[in-house]
Amino acid sequence: MQVTRRGLVTGAAVGGGLLVAWWFLPRNYANPLEPASGEHLFGAWIKIAEDGVVSVAVPQLEMGQGVTTLIPQIVAQELGADWRQVAVEPAPVASAYPNVPLAERWAELWDPVSVGVSETTDDMLAQRFARAQRFTATADGTSLAAYEAPAREAAAAARAMLALEAADRWGVAWEECQVVSGIVSHGDKSATFGELAGGAADQSPPDPPPLRPEAPSDNPPPGSLPDDVSAIPQFPRIDLPSKVDGSYRFAADVRLPGMVYAAIRHGPNNGSELTGFNEAAAEGISGIVGAVRHKRWLAVAATTWWSAQRALEAMAPQFTVSYPVDSADIEARIETLLRSGDSYLVAETGFGEEGMTRVDTARRYDVEPAHAAPVETASAAARWSGGRLELWIASQAPEQARKAAAKAVGISPEDVALYPMPAGGSFDARLEHEHAIEIAHIAKELGRPVQLTWPRRDELIRSRPRAPAGVLIGAQLAEGGQGSIDAMRVRVACQPSSHEFGRRLFGNLIPSAAIRDTTGQKDELALEGAVPPYDLPSVSVHHVPVETGYPAGRVRGNAHQVSAFAIESFIDEVAAENNREPLSYRMSMLGGDIRLAACLQRAASMAEWDGGVNQSGQGLACHRIGDAETGARIACVATARRGEGGVRVARLSAAVDIGRIVNIDIARQQIEGGLMFGIGIALGNALRMRGGLPASFDYADLGLPRLADCPEIDVDFLPSEAAPADPGELGTVVAPPAIANALFSATGLRLRRLPLLSSGL
């Protein structure tokens, strides 16, 4: 079957599940990729068809962040392809695509015993783990770090093979051939990729592959004005046309012959069990195919999803809750342990603990749990036949989802074919794979193709929110006034949410078991960003483990949401107490991070910063995600006011340094989207629990920003030759403290809890 560009762009069912490998991997990884008619293989990343279409395999989940444009763009620029001839297909879950940087970052989650022996050993273990476990997870902004280099090398090898084929035909040196815009040329001779593909695929690529001297870049030139957002981007998103016309396929769009539709009802999040339901109450509803009962849920399948949902409502499933959780109980635990609980020292700089001999000023900040709340609820399609399972699903960790589904129905992971589908949004929610387990059970029980879609109620019930936290910050100020900080101590009370998440992802534990397994553990990942980017003589960070009884997970921004809000609010407070102007006060402490200082200056200039004087409504914040060498940086000035309709954010001005930019249009989208996400975190409604259930199941009650709430947003990127860094979470974490500081400027009220209005004004 000939695979068309439209087929490649709009669906995974055509190309999903293909297992591929390429020359630069160890020989024991086979290359079973089967090209369509007229296509020729160029390793694990590239296929070139005789009509000239270059298909690029992408091993990361497309969830709105544009990765299915970024990686093909890298290949196109290195290969010398015309962007109009480039298509994309989801890469299979395979050892050819290890996400080694993420495996290194999460090493203590999958191997807490061996990690930390030595840097060399950790690198080796991460390499081995990522390949052996087919670890291709999409998270923590590691797509470029993990895949830019191998994608470039594969494209460079393919370019050389095309040049070798042309050179053989023309009797010239292949190094003298030019490869530009999908054409190989030498003097007056030229040939298209399609004309050369068949012979080029049999050429032996040079080792190492001949990379172009310039890495893919879309950086603004030094001294340039912000990009004209109305200009046509050089590399427009590949997925944009199909998303506009509605042909882009998500897991909920999969249709299989004879497929039925399943709805599901869950009990409270932690440790609930199904005790009964009224099966007879659904007898009058047409189209019911069957019900599947599990220890912790009840599903009904029907010829339409609405019939299945109506049947569930009529059957009124009942659950027992062994550990009902209320928000008031969680807050009381955090309150008690933050003040007096045992803690672990997780980080220190400079003189560390010894540098702080007194506390001159201290403040407490609280952060409520937050949902990822993607608009698209969990959905998957499955087909069970002959002891094998086919699974169509959007997953940020597809191999872990595949293994969990296999274990659930008692088969080998090799008997599960997982077809990667894009997500309409995730914000880390699709790192969880509970719905993969559920649909595996349902498909096997019914013995026919089925699609499972969670209703909004169950998406909120089974959500793993970002953990709540209490943060206590104390500072020792330099003698002589001016508010200079000599030492800072940060104490964070929160559950070890990263380890809890790791037990679910890598250990396949249910939430209650993961909580029991991690209670009392030190969790450095749960405190990321708690070491400020400022030059301070002494900093120490302590983790106070708290068992809340409610499962926690990952949400866009993760721990940096907590740390950025607390640190930047505290810095603003110290400046105000000591009559220091907020911008110059921060600048005086940023001698060790010139790039972040430049972001601050640029954001202040963009917003026409007035010093944050009383009633101005301007507030600023800055943050760095990652280390001083490779981290991403952002500074933001917010203009916010309290009005008759509540708090209104009128403007956000952000200056960003993410190193070398591969696609500035996508980077801008990520920052703008992150800032809007941050407005939701800052001004949305708090997630409250009663008896282990959310107090509301209404999506509207989350208080997420609407179109009318969108402020004027200005984003500028600072030119940089540093390694690329991810922009996806920067806006999310910097917006809340900038807005909080703006509200202080406007009203004189210091809001120390997220969401900012959770306790009212």
Side-chain angles (χ1 to χ4, degrees), residues 546-686:
V546 179
E547 196 233 314
T548 68
Y550 197 83
R554 295 173 57 84
V555 172
R556 188 178 186 181
N558 295 296
H560 288 277
Q561 281 187 10
V562 177
S563 54
F565 173 68
I567 295 293
E568 284 303 287
S569 295
F570 182 75
I571 293 296
D572 222 62
E573 292 206 54
V574 175
E577 286 177 358
N578 292 273
N579 297 313
R580 296 287 300 273
E581 190 271 325
L583 174 62
S584 60
Y585 183 64
R586 286 174 169 84
M587 292 293 294
S588 70
M589 298 183 290
L590 281 174
D593 196 333
I594 303 302
R595 293 169 63 189
L596 186 55
C599 289
L600 261 177
Q601 289 181 316
R602 180 61 186 143
S605 174
M606 294 166 62
E608 299 178 341
W609 171 255
D610 61 5
V613 295
N614 289 341
Q615 306 301 312
S616 75
Q618 282 194 328
L620 58 79
C622 61
H623 193 66
R624 183 181 72 214
I625 296 180
D627 58 38
E629 182 178 351
T630 62
R633 295 155 170 86
I634 189 169
C636 179
V637 176
T639 302
R641 300 187 184 281
R642 183 178 61 177
E644 292 183 3
V647 173
R648 172 76 178 176
V649 179
R651 185 180 182 187
L652 294 173
S653 300
V656 184
D657 184 341
I658 55 171
R660 172 172 53 84
I661 301 173
V662 175
N663 187 307
I664 197 167
D665 194 50
I666 288 178
R668 188 183 305 281
Q669 293 167 12
Q670 285 287 282
I671 296 296
E672 291 173 347
L675 290 169
M676 288 305 302
F677 196 100
I679 291 176
I681 295 294
L683 302 179
N685 297 327

Side-chain angles (χ1 to χ4, degrees), residues 124-360:
M124 180 188 69
L125 289 174
Q127 287 269 359
R128 181 178 300 174
F129 167 82
R131 293 191 189 280
Q133 300 299 317
R134 299 168 178 167
F135 183 67
T136 63
T138 309
D140 270 7
T142 52
S143 293
L144 284 177
Y147 298 112
E148 181 183 25
R152 283 192 68 194
E153 290 170 359
R159 171 167 45 82
M161 294 165 71
L162 290 164
L164 283 164
E165 175 63 18
D168 285 350
R169 295 185 184 185
W170 301 332
V172 299
W174 73 270
E175 295 91 344
E176 298 175 359
C177 294
Q178 301 294 314
V179 186
V180 179
S181 298
I183 296 174
V184 182
S185 62
H186 184 279
D188 60 353
K189 301 181 180 66
S190 66
T192 66
F193 282 7
E195 292 168 341
L196 297 169
D202 294 328
Q203 295 282 348
S204 296
D207 187 9
L211 296 174
R212 295 184 187 272
E214 296 296 328
S217 176
D218 202 8
N219 276 17
S224 67
L225 294 174
D227 286 354
D228 178 2
V229 296
S230 66
I232 298 175
Q234 183 180 2
F235 296 97
R237 290 182 63 142
I238 288 179
D239 55 358
L240 189 59
S242 56
K243 285 183 175 178
V244 170
D245 68 20
S247 61
Y248 197 79
R249 295 189 206 168
F250 300 96
D253 297 318
V254 172
R255 296 294 181 266
L256 303 171
M259 189 172 78
V260 295
Y261 303 86
I264 196 165
R265 181 66 61 90
H266 301 90
N269 212 327
N270 186 21
S272 61
E273 294 188 12
L274 179 66
T275 56
F277 55 92
N278 183 2
E279 188 171 3
E283 289 179 356
I285 299 174
S286 63
I288 302 300
V289 173
V292 179
R293 174 176 183 166
H294 189 265
K295 182 178 181 180
R296 305 187 188 280
W297 48 265
L298 176 68
V300 174
T303 53
T304 69
W305 186 86
W306 294 109
S307 293
Q309 179 68 3
R310 284 180 56 214
L312 272 178
E313 293 171 354
M315 293 164 73
Q318 302 295 311
F319 297 86
T320 60
V321 185
S322 59
Y323 201 102
V325 177
D326 292 328
S327 290
D329 296 334
I330 295 175
E331 291 167 0
R333 294 185 190 194
I334 291 176
E335 166 74 27
T336 300
L337 293 174
L338 180 62
R339 301 284 181 181
S340 58
D342 293 335
S343 68
Y344 295 97
L345 178 66
V346 298
E348 59 181 348
T349 63
F351 298 107
E353 286 280 87
E354 297 179 358
M356 192 161 184
T357 59
R358 67 180 188 277
V359 178
D360 295 322

Side-chain angles (χ1 to χ4, degrees), residues 54 75-86 179-183 193 212 235:
V54 177
V75 169
Q77 289 184 277
E78 186 64 52
L79 178 61
D82 188 305
W83 188 238
R84 292 169 296 181
Q85 72 185 115
V86 177
V179 186
V180 179
S181 298
I183 296 174
F193 282 7
R212 295 184 187 272
F235 296 97

